[in-house]
């Protein structure tokens, strides 16, 4: 076994892009940096989450090594997620390590916003480009109920404001739409987008069970959200970026802010999906709607070369599951896969 420099010689030149059996190419990496979370969103966390032992969680060096290998195979965007990514101490150190990878163009993070006000500046300085804050209600009491924690709404709103002030760009808001819970707040979120120049993304509730048990009746179709908004503010669709999970619209009257609709259930975009996931305990997950996962941590910790790791990931990604469309076509429904907090959203 050689040192890191020797190991990397084999990967000095870019290798072929990561491609699956359907010809889909991986360009985006989502990393769950921890499974732990200080919130208990009812659509995400089970009543009694089982946390991974600390020794099973990848170190920043291990995450950065996998990211470097993937970058040489064509990955250009990295999103940090969790659990709650800011539960991981000094996350800016990881951001700075990822920023040093020349092929990586964008580093983003999805967070519940609780620690954002205090961390935003450090993260920006370390090289974080953009942030998405999950915010499922603009009514403080309802928000607390959804996230299972009292008195945190103002703090999350402050995080959102500070993120904009320090220049993270874009700052987006993720709203998981739940029938009978927040589907009466569409217009409030639209006003937030317009007033604060934010991108608000309405996400269809997906069957990853938390305290709440997924039922089709709880899903608010993205089309319905668009119709509701258009009854007041006409929207102009923007060209869809390849591999994007969202349909994005701007306001026809030219007021700032954008609207995104993530129709993972009613109209998924699995055909050109370009994502690959790495779990906190070092599993490669090619598709979030499949139980298939490939343990790259054992390889990492047994002294494998970058070339061996690259070849392992290539084989894993090649077998990527067709996607949620095929599940719906063949089974008419989606079986429970795993809780979202273990995957990184
Ligand atoms: N803790 C961070 C947060 O909440 O933003 C990052 C991890 S969270 C698992 C990533 C994203 O998945 C969040 O926007 C969250 O709202 C969303 N999410 C969680 N469970 C979901 C579900 N069942 N359906 C749709 N989106 C879900
Ligand atoms: Fe935590 Fe995010 Fe899951 Fe909410 S959605 S419980 S904040 S991981």
């Amino acid at each position: 076994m050689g040192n890191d420099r020797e190991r990397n010689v084999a990967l000095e030149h870019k290798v072929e892009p990561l491609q699956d059996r359907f010809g889909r190419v991986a360009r985006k990496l989502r990393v769950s940096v921890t499974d732990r979370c200080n919130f208990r969103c009812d659509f995400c966390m089970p009543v009694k989450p089982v946390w991974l032992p600390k020794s099973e969680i990848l170190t920043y060096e291990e995450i950065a090594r996998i990211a470097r290998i993937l970058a040489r195979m064509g990955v250009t965007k990295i999103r940090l997620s969790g659990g709650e990514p800011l539960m991981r101490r000094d996350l800016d150190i990881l951001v700075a390590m990822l920023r040093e990878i020349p092929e990586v163009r964008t580093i983003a993070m999805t967070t519940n916003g609780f620690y954002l006000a205090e961390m935003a500046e450090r993260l920006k300085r370390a090289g974080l480009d953009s942030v998405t804050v999950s915010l499922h209600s603009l009514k403080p009491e309802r928000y607390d109920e959804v996230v299972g924690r009292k008195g945190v709404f103002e703090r999350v709103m402050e995080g959102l404001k500070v993120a904009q002030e320090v220049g993270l760009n874009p700052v987006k808001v993720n709203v998981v739409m739940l029938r009978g819970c927040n589907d009466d707040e569409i217009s409030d979120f639209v006003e937030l987008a317009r007033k604060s120049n934010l991108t608000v993304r309405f996400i269809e509730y997906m069957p990853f069970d938390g305290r709440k048990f997924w039922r089709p009746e709880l899903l608010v179709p993205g089309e319905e959200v668009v119709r509701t908004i258009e009854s007041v503010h006409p929207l102009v669709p923007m060209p869809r970026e390849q591999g994007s999970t969202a349909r994005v619209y701007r306001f026809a009257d030219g007021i700032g802010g954008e609207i995104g609709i993530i129709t993972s259930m009613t109209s998924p975009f699995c055909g050109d999906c370009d994502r690959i996931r790495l779990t906190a305990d070092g599993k490669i997950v090619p598709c979030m709607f499949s139980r298939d996962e490939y343990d790259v941590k054992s390889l990492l910790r047994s002294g494998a070369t970058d070339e061996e790791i690259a070849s392992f990931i290539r084989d894993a990604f090649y077998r990527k599951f067709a996607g949620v469309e095929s599940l719906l076509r063949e089974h008419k429904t989606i079986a429970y896969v795993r809780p979202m907090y273990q995957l990184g959203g």
Side-chain angles (χ1 to χ4, degrees):
M1 188 182 72
N3 60 26
D4 268 0
R5 184 179 282 269
E6 285 165 20
R7 280 194 206 111
N8 289 335
V9 169
L11 281 178
E12 227 145 50
H13 301 290
K14 271 200 184 140
V15 287
E16 283 168 55
L18 253 186
Q19 196 165 323
D20 75 6
R21 62 205 155 117
F22 303 105
R24 294 173 297 185
V25 172
R27 304 263 175 238
K28 299 181 190 131
L29 167 66
R30 295 207 175 185
V31 185
S32 172
V33 297
T34 176
D35 62 335
R36 287 173 173 68
C37 187
N38 50 344
F39 285 12
R40 296 287 180 273
C41 299
D42 58 6
F43 46 76
C44 174
M45 277 284 170
V47 179
K48 285 195 180 154
V50 180
W51 308 123
L52 290 164
K54 284 241 164 71
S55 60
E56 295 300 314
I57 293 188
L58 294 185
T59 64
Y60 287 166
E61 285 73 18
E62 288 171 328
I63 294 173
R65 184 165 174 217
I66 298 284
R68 268 196 302 277
I69 293 170
L70 282 168
R72 291 186 193 126
M73 292 196 275
V75 164
T76 57
K77 291 186 176 182
I78 299 179
R79 177 169 295 276
L80 304 177
S81 186
E84 171 47 40
L86 293 177
M87 291 287 283
R88 192 88 190 246
R89 197 182 287 269
D90 303 325
L91 192 69
D92 53 311
I93 293 177
L94 175 63
V95 172
M97 289 164 90
L98 299 175
R99 193 74 278 174
E100 281 180 12
I101 305 174
E103 296 88 347
V104 172
R105 288 205 310 265
T106 315
I107 306 173
M109 177 180 69
T110 304
T111 173
N112 63 25
F114 185 83
Y115 293 112
L116 191 55
E118 63 194 77
M119 284 298 291
E121 193 166 3
R122 271 172 71 185
L123 290 163
K124 169 74 186 167
R125 240 186 291 126
L128 188 74
D129 295 297
S130 64
V131 71
T132 300
V133 180
S134 301
L135 182 68
H136 312 294
S137 173
L138 293 170
K139 297 182 192 297
E141 276 173 28
R142 183 182 284 175
Y143 176 82
D144 289 358
E145 183 119 328
V146 172
V147 304
R149 225 183 131 158
K150 282 202 187 326
V152 288
F153 176 78
E154 292 305 334
R155 185 169 167 149
V156 173
M157 292 304 283
E158 177 65 14
L160 205 52
K161 191 171 123 238
V162 176
Q164 282 188 303
E165 282 166 6
V166 302
L168 289 166
N169 183 25
V171 176
K172 299 182 190 173
V173 165
N174 269 0
V175 191
V176 175
M177 292 302 295
L178 299 159
R179 178 79 70 205
C181 169
N182 58 2
D183 52 342
D184 58 345
E185 292 190 55
I186 296 172
S187 61
D188 298 340
F189 277 107
V190 168
E191 288 320 310
L192 176 76
R194 288 164 68 82
K195 257 197 250 135
S196 310
N197 217 10
L198 290 163
T199 298
V200 174
R201 307 179 344 145
F202 296 92
I203 304 179
E204 288 179 350
Y205 179 25
M206 293 183 264
F208 297 94
D209 297 325
R211 278 184 284 135
K212 196 188 271 288
F213 205 73
W214 188 86
R215 302 193 309 276
E217 312 86 84
L218 296 178
L219 191 149
V220 181
E223 270 310 307
E224 180 182 322
V225 176
V226 173
R227 274 199 313 274
T228 307
I229 299 174
E230 288 221 286
S231 65
V232 182
H233 297 292
L235 296 172
V236 179
M238 317 265 279
R240 178 176 171 261
E241 229 179 78
Q242 204 194 352
S244 170
T245 48
R247 288 161 216 264
V248 182
Y249 301 82
R250 64 174 177 78
F251 293 103
D253 61 9
I255 303 272
E258 285 176 358
I259 295 296
I261 309 288
I262 304 194
T263 51
S264 325
M265 301 302 296
T266 60
S267 179
F269 291 115
C270 303
D272 65 356
C273 174
D274 57 3
R275 282 172 297 287
I276 181 166
R277 293 180 152 80
L278 178 65
T279 63
D281 61 342
K283 308 266 172 40
I284 292 287
V285 176
C287 171
M288 70 195 280
F289 283 103
S290 159
R291 281 182 195 266
D292 296 347
E293 54 182 35
Y294 303 87
D295 179 13
V296 74
K297 182 183 69 207
S298 303
L299 209 56
L300 269 177
R301 293 189 178 175
S302 64
T305 62
D306 282 4
E307 217 174 18
E308 285 161 345
I309 293 171
S311 152
F312 177 86
I313 297 175
R314 187 177 300 289
D315 285 350
F317 190 75
Y318 185 76
R319 284 178 251 159
K320 178 165 170 150
F321 179 63
V324 66
E325 280 152 345
S326 75
L327 270 180
L328 293 171
R329 209 171 34 242
E330 286 154 31
H331 306 288
K332 305 277 179 263
T333 184
I334 294 176
Y336 161 85
V337 184
R338 75 188 100 203
M340 191 73 128
Y341 79 101
Q342 292 178 346
L343 195 61

